[in-house]
């Protein structure tokens, strides 16, 4: 702590803003609550007096506030501030907070309670805290299961350092959201102006050469190794390091279809081995799990003969209830550094064995590329709009634009990944956790991405889970144009498929009464954007698809969000 003094009248609101300055937060993502008046007053004073403060975003839904912080953090990888309202606001935003935990995005989430309920002298917090907003144990107890750390700032003099501590905890591996309960009375209390020391970037831990050398020897001796990853690209430099490692040893890379968090490896690269680990379960003699939290499903399904090396900064994720890795060796510490160390050790290789391995993978890759091309030719000839055609058309239109795709499809997610064929770092993200966050995450990505076009691919079921109106409001208020492409098959297909799978000869199959899945009753989804002056189109023929998407991208480039509702055939 320092002895710097703020201006007379400084209170807990000033302490909060001062602390987020120390954290280095660019933004405070706020879904308004009555407790934040002290923060608003501090921001107003700082803006008036030209003093530093994070930019403030006034957002009209908790999921939008948290989701935008998540999207921003996916690119910036630094903790931001999120202000919610009491326990109810925290509960409303909890799905998105949990999504940030799964995505490994650092942030400090705060909300309030009252500790005096109006029975103490001084400011009256208001009767709503007594009647409606309190929860037994405080909101930090509510937040504990879906955050890295949750606590209460019990006094104004420790408040700044509690915020910086929360940020430091959030930033360190495994990165994720930390929560701080800041009571109304603490926010209103007089603050002596002692400021927190600025937060610095975390130091790194590395696997030692003594740990890396034996793994290099295992790779050298393996005949059929494979790399499996879910989120190597989340690490700074991880995408590039994984490419260098795979190329140095000529090892195929599988990006798990069911659990990929982001783009980790160029899908156009000859060493990209698709999204299914299944073919390798009996063939591989060495499996390298790189940032791969859940490689096998069911978890009891283990490879028949492969040794398993886990390369991960925190391989055993404390927020996962049940996790099975079957590790024989752990290489812990900074993943990009570990991969670079292993790449440097790719020496004295059996040239014939490496050539045979690479030739086999190139043959598999060529077959996959031909299968993709065949699927796209078939989709182009199909009656109606096949989802493959939508993904392939997007890929063509985004070429050379340095675009970013945020994906919140379910039944079409493999199609999107397979046919978009993203090849650059930070060009693809899959929304983690429950559905209904995609628009907000895409807005946060756009906030960080600047002029890069950002596309949200979303199913019609996921679309209606999203807080659509608050998201459109944020897009317009803060000049964050997106292209939203809805894969609209007029059904909750995932639910329908599970019903058919569990009860193939059941009453629903007999009567055709499939409950909980029909979305035909919804109006045209693009129309919700019309009151905001956004570009909207509904497309139901293949010939109209590419022109509609071209017009939409032009609208986005000119600064206006575009929503294209594509009526797909399946």
């Amino acid at each position: 702590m320092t002895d710097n003094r703020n201006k007379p009248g400084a209170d807990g609101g000033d302490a909060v803003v001062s602390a987020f300055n120390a954290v280095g937060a660019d933004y405070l993502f706020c879904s308004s609550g009555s407790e934040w008046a002290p923060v608003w007053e501090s921001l107003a004073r700082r803006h008036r007096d030209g003093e530093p403060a994070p930019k403030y975003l006034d957002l009209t839904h908790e999921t939008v506030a948290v989701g935008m912080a998540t999207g921003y953090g996916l690119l910036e990888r630094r903790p931001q501030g999120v202000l919610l309202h009491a326990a109810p606001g925290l509960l409303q935003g909890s799905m998105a907070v949990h999504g940030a935990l799964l995505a490994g995005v650092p942030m400090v989430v705060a909300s309030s309670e009252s500790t005096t309920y109006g029975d103490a002298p001084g400011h009256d917090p208001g009767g709503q805290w007594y009647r409606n907003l309190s929860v037994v144990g405080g909101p930090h107890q509510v937040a504990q299961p879906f955050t890295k750390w949750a606590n209460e700032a019990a006094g104004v003099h420790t408040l700044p350092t509690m915020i910086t501590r929360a940020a430091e905890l959030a930033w360190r591996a495994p990165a994720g959201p930390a929560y701080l309960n800041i009571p109304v009375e603490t926010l209103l209390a007089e603050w002596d102006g002692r400021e927190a020391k600025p937060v610095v970037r975390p130091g790194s831990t590395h696997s030692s050469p003594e740990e890396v050398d034996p793994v290099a020897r295992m790779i050298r001796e393996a005949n059929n190794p494979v790399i499996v990853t879910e989120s190597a690209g989340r690490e700074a430099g991880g995408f590039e390091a994984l490419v260098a490692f795979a190329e140095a040893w000529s090892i195929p890379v599988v990006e798990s279809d069911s659990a990929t968090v982001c783009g980790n490896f160029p899908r156009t690269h000859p060493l990209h081995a698709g999204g299914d680990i299944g073919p390798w379960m009996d063939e591989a003699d060495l499996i390298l799990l790189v940032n791969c939290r859940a490689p096998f499903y069911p978890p009891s399904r283990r490879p028949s003969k492969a040794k398993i090396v886990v390369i991960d900064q925190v391989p055993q994720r404390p927020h996962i209830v049940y996790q099975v890795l079957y590790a024989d060796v752990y290489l812990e510490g900074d993943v990009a550094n570990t991969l670079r160390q292993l790449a440097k050790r790719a020496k004295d290789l059996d040239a014939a064995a490496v050539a045979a391995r690479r030739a086999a993978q190139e043959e598999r890759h060529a077959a996959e590329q031909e299968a993709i091309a065949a699927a796209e030719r078939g989709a182009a000839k199909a009656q109606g709009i096949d989802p493959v055609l939508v993904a392939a058309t997007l890929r063509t239109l985004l070429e050379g634009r340095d675009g970013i795709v945020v994906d919140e499809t379910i039944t079409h997610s493999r199609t999107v990944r397979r046919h978009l064929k993203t090849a650059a770092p930070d060009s693809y993200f899959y929304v983690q956790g429950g559905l209904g966050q995609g628009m907000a995450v895409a807005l946060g990505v756009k906030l960080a991405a600047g002029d890069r076009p950002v596309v949200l691919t979303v199913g019609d079921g996921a679309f209606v889970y999203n807080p659509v109106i608050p998201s459109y409001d944020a897009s317009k208020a803060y000049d964050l144009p997106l292209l939203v492409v809805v894969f609209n098959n007029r059904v909750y297909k995932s639910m329908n498929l599970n019903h058919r799978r569990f009860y193939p000869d059941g009453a629903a199959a007999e009567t055709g009464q499939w409950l909980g899945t029909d979305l035909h009753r919804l109006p045209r989804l693009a129309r919700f954007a019309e009151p905001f002056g956004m570009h909207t189109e509904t497309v139901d023929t293949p010939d109209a698809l590419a022109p509609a998407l071209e017009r939409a991208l032009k609208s986005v480039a000119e600064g206006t969000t575009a929503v294209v509702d594509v009526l797909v055939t399946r």
Side-chain angles (χ1 to χ4, degrees):
M1 303 292 284
T2 68
D3 291 326
N4 296 337
R5 299 279 171 174
N6 273 10
K7 295 183 179 180
D11 59 17
D14 293 290
V16 168
V17 177
S18 175
F20 278 113
N21 274 336
V23 166
D26 301 316
Y27 290 94
L28 295 178
F29 299 86
C30 183
S31 177
S32 297
S34 56
E35 65 262 52
W36 298 119
V39 170
W40 299 333
E41 179 61 22
S42 176
L43 290 169
R45 181 183 62 75
R46 287 168 183 261
H47 293 160
R48 182 197 65 193
D49 298 343
E51 297 177 2
K55 297 182 182 71
Y56 176 84
L57 297 185
D58 196 3
L59 305 164
T60 54
H61 196 283
E62 290 84 356
T63 298
V64 176
V66 181
M68 285 186 66
T70 298
Y72 190 82
L74 287 172
L75 264 64
E76 294 296 333
R77 298 179 172 89
R78 292 181 289 106
Q80 305 299 311
V82 179
L83 309 181
L84 305 179
H85 177 45
L90 173 63
L91 289 167
Q92 180 72 39
S94 61
M95 178 186 68
V97 178
H98 180 248
L101 182 69
L102 296 179
V105 174
M107 63 181 68
V108 177
V109 180
S111 71
S112 284
E113 64 175 337
S114 175
T115 55
T116 65
Y117 305 104
D119 273 346
H123 293 289
D124 179 6
Q128 73 273 20
W129 296 95
Y130 177 53
R131 292 187 294 267
N132 296 322
L133 298 179
S134 64
V135 293
V136 175
H140 47 293
Q141 297 289 341
V142 173
Q144 238 172 14
F146 51 84
T147 57
K148 276 190 66 177
W149 177 86
N151 214 324
E152 177 184 8
V156 71
H157 302 299
T158 58
L159 174 57
T161 302
M162 287 291 279
I163 290 174
T164 57
R165 171 168 162 72
E168 290 180 326
L169 285 164
W171 208 352
R172 278 156 176 78
Y179 172 80
L180 194 60
N181 167 21
I182 310 175
V184 180
E185 291 81 359
T186 299
L187 287 167
L188 291 169
E190 184 179 348
W191 176 47
D192 63 12
R194 291 179 295 170
E195 297 176 340
K197 183 181 183 297
V199 171
V200 297
R201 182 176 295 276
S204 59
T205 57
H206 295 163
S207 293
S208 69
E210 291 77 15
E211 293 168 312
V212 174
D213 285 339
V215 172
R217 187 162 51 250
M218 293 172 72
I219 301 172
R220 193 173 291 110
E221 294 170 355
N223 292 315
N224 199 13
V226 65
I227 298 164
V228 184
T229 186
E230 296 173 9
S231 59
R234 277 291 298 120
E235 308 287 339
F239 187 102
E240 297 87 347
L242 182 58
V243 172
F245 169 55
E247 288 180 340
W249 293 90
S250 292
I251 305 176
V253 177
V254 174
E255 287 188 284
S256 173
D257 264 337
S258 60
T260 292
V261 174
C262 57
N264 305 289
F265 196 83
R267 287 192 165 252
T268 53
H269 197 291
L271 288 174
H272 196 286
D276 183 11
I277 193 178
W280 302 91
M281 294 295 283
D282 294 325
E283 296 177 13
D285 56 356
L286 179 65
I287 296 177
L288 299 135
L289 301 180
V290 181
N291 267 24
C292 199
R293 59 189 170 172
F296 312 118
Y297 189 83
S300 58
R301 182 193 182 204
R302 66 185 304 162
S304 60
K305 61 184 179 183
K307 292 285 187 181
I308 296 174
V309 175
V310 174
I311 302 172
D312 201 319
Q313 194 161 12
V314 184
Q316 293 294 338
R317 301 291 202 276
H319 59 268
I320 295 179
V321 175
Y322 183 57
Q323 187 183 18
V324 181
L325 298 176
Y326 295 120
D328 293 291
V329 180
Y330 286 110
L331 284 182
E332 300 184 40
D334 182 88
V335 169
N337 179 276
T338 302
L339 295 176
R340 287 191 287 265
Q341 287 195 62
L342 286 168
K344 290 177 181 177
R345 287 163 170 75
K347 300 173 182 176
D348 303 322
L349 307 184
D350 184 331
V354 169
R357 183 163 75 225
R358 185 152 192 138
Q361 171 52 30
E362 288 177 350
E363 184 177 338
R364 283 189 294 265
H365 183 76
E368 169 65 3
Q369 295 309 301
E370 175 52 35
I372 290 172
E376 291 177 3
R377 290 192 295 269
K381 296 175 183 177
Q383 295 292 318
I385 303 176
D386 190 284
V388 168
L389 182 63
V390 184
T393 303
L394 272 174
R395 182 189 71 237
T396 300
L397 293 175
L398 288 173
E399 284 177 1
R401 295 175 184 257
D402 195 23
I404 304 173
V405 174
V406 176
D407 187 17
E408 197 179 27
T409 60
I410 298 296
T411 54
H412 300 124
S413 60
R414 295 184 184 189
T415 296
V416 169
R417 279 195 291 271
R418 189 181 191 215
H419 293 276
L420 276 176
K421 297 198 285 190
T422 52
D426 290 342
S427 60
Y428 173 85
F429 298 101
Y430 190 76
V431 177
Q432 299 295 294
L435 294 175
Q437 307 172 63
M439 282 194 187
V441 172
L443 287 167
V445 168
K446 179 62 179 175
L447 187 65
D451 292 335
R452 295 177 67 185
V454 176
V455 180
L456 171 67
T457 53
V458 62
D460 52 324
F463 180 91
V464 298
Y465 285 154
N466 274 263
V468 172
I469 290 174
S471 296
Y472 288 160
D473 171 63
S475 172
K476 186 154 187 176
Y478 297 107
D479 296 320
L480 301 171
L482 304 175
L483 169 55
V484 180
V485 180
V486 184
F487 286 66
N488 189 345
N489 57 12
R490 283 81 73 201
V491 65
Y492 281 122
K493 193 169 184 180
S494 178
M495 289 78 142
N496 185 257
L497 289 173
N498 272 341
H499 193 158
R500 292 174 185 272
R501 181 160 64 98
F502 297 149
Y503 302 98
D505 302 314
E510 180 183 343
T511 63
Q513 188 179 13
W514 303 102
L515 301 178
T517 63
D518 186 13
L519 294 177
H520 279 87
R521 66 183 183 272
L522 294 177
R524 292 280 66 86
L525 300 181
R527 291 179 183 169
F528 292 99
E530 290 176 359
F532 294 89
M534 295 173 175
H535 181 94
T536 65
E537 302 210 26
T538 299
V539 184
D540 60 1
T541 62
D543 290 345
L545 178 63
L549 291 174
E550 282 185 287
R551 289 189 294 270
L553 279 169
K554 183 174 184 292
S555 170
V556 171
E558 293 171 350
T560 301
T561 286
V563 184
V564 182
D565 184 13
V566 185
L567 307 186
V568 294
T569 55
R570 57 184 174 91

